[in-house]
Amino acid sequence: MTPKRRTSIVVAGDHLVAGHGDGRALGWVGRVAVRTHPALENARFYTLAAPSEDSAQFADRCIAEAELRYGDDDDKRLVLAPGCGDIAAGISTARSRLNLANILDQALSRGYSAFVVGPAPGRSQSENRQIEELNRGFSEVALRRSIPYVDCFTPLADHAVWQRELATSSEGLPGQEGYGLLSWLVLNRGWFEWLGVDDVTG
């Protein structure tokens, strides 16, 4: 019997990809993987987290690191979860958009299927105004290429649970409930459709 083709899902992004602050150490990626495996048993998840990097640094490493995780015959899936490092680095939204566009164009040229998870809000209202602009720019880049985009900023900016967890964390990180919210957004914004399977967990 011919073995099923393996689906390799590389998730590249900032510290939220690593699940920092989650007492269960699952983060949103782990929670998404738990829901995915019943429908796609041969899926393999690889997380590539780099805290505080800007989109230029993200673009420099992303494709090269992803390639190391793919087998020749894999169904190659790339999830990009760019953070907010561009704000601290003083990078313009226009340049941020271009950096994300370059990653996506490289991924598409290699035959990877891409999915983008936008930046999440922080606890600073002034910074959130910048994150909102960054989120809008990233979404336009993805949607212009018909790539699924998960807007995490809009539903979480004023979400009581999300803001409470950030406020009570010394590092401004979400906890278990916050990561649960992120995973719910990912799972319910085209995840299973992107993978071409049904959510058998209901």
Side-chain angles (χ1 to χ4, degrees):
M1 185 171 67
T2 303
K4 291 183 178 179
R5 188 184 187 196
R6 184 175 64 184
T7 300
S8 291
I9 304 170
V10 172
V11 186
D14 65 0
H15 58 282
L16 295 181
V17 165
H20 293 176
D22 181 6
R24 295 181 64 194
L26 284 171
W28 68 262
V29 178
R31 287 170 169 81
V32 167
V34 168
R35 284 282 298 276
T36 302
H37 280 134
L40 202 60
E41 294 179 2
N42 62 340
R44 297 292 181 268
F45 283 78
Y46 302 91
T47 55
L48 307 177
S52 304
E53 72 180 349
D54 60 46
S55 61
Q57 295 167 326
F58 189 48
D60 284 343
R61 75 175 175 97
C62 192
I63 297 297
E65 290 190 2
E67 285 182 336
L68 297 175
R69 276 79 186 175
Y70 295 135
D72 291 341
D73 298 323
D74 289 359
D75 177 8
K76 303 174 178 68
R77 303 277 174 162
L78 179 61
V79 180
L80 302 177
C84 306
D86 285 4
I87 295 172
I91 294 175
S92 69
T93 301
R95 175 56 62 177
S96 301
R97 289 169 55 113
L98 180 60
N99 288 334
L100 179 62
N102 286 339
I103 301 172
L104 291 174
D105 290 343
Q106 289 182 62
L108 295 174
S109 71
R110 286 166 169 76
Y112 305 165
S113 180
F115 188 98
V116 182
V117 179
R123 53 187 176 184
S124 163
Q125 292 306 308
S126 60
E127 183 177 345
N128 278 343
R129 285 191 287 273
Q130 295 174 285
I131 297 174
E132 183 177 21
E133 181 181 351
L134 193 62
N135 173 63
R136 187 181 305 112
F138 284 160
S139 69
E140 291 170 355
V141 169
L143 296 177
R144 185 170 296 169
R145 290 161 175 75
S146 299
I147 291 171
Y149 184 87
V150 180
D151 176 2
C152 296
F153 179 85
T154 303
L156 297 180
D158 297 314
H159 196 289
V161 171
W162 178 264
Q163 292 299 334
R164 185 193 72 230
E165 289 201 333
L166 297 190
T168 56
S169 166
S170 61
E171 298 180 84
L173 295 169
Q176 292 185 39
E177 290 181 281
Y179 281 111
L181 291 169
L182 286 174
S183 66
W184 188 92
L185 288 169
V186 172
L187 290 165
N188 289 276
R189 298 293 187 272
W191 178 258
F192 290 101
E193 292 85 350
W194 176 61
L195 291 173
V197 296
D198 295 325
D199 179 8
V200 299
T201 65

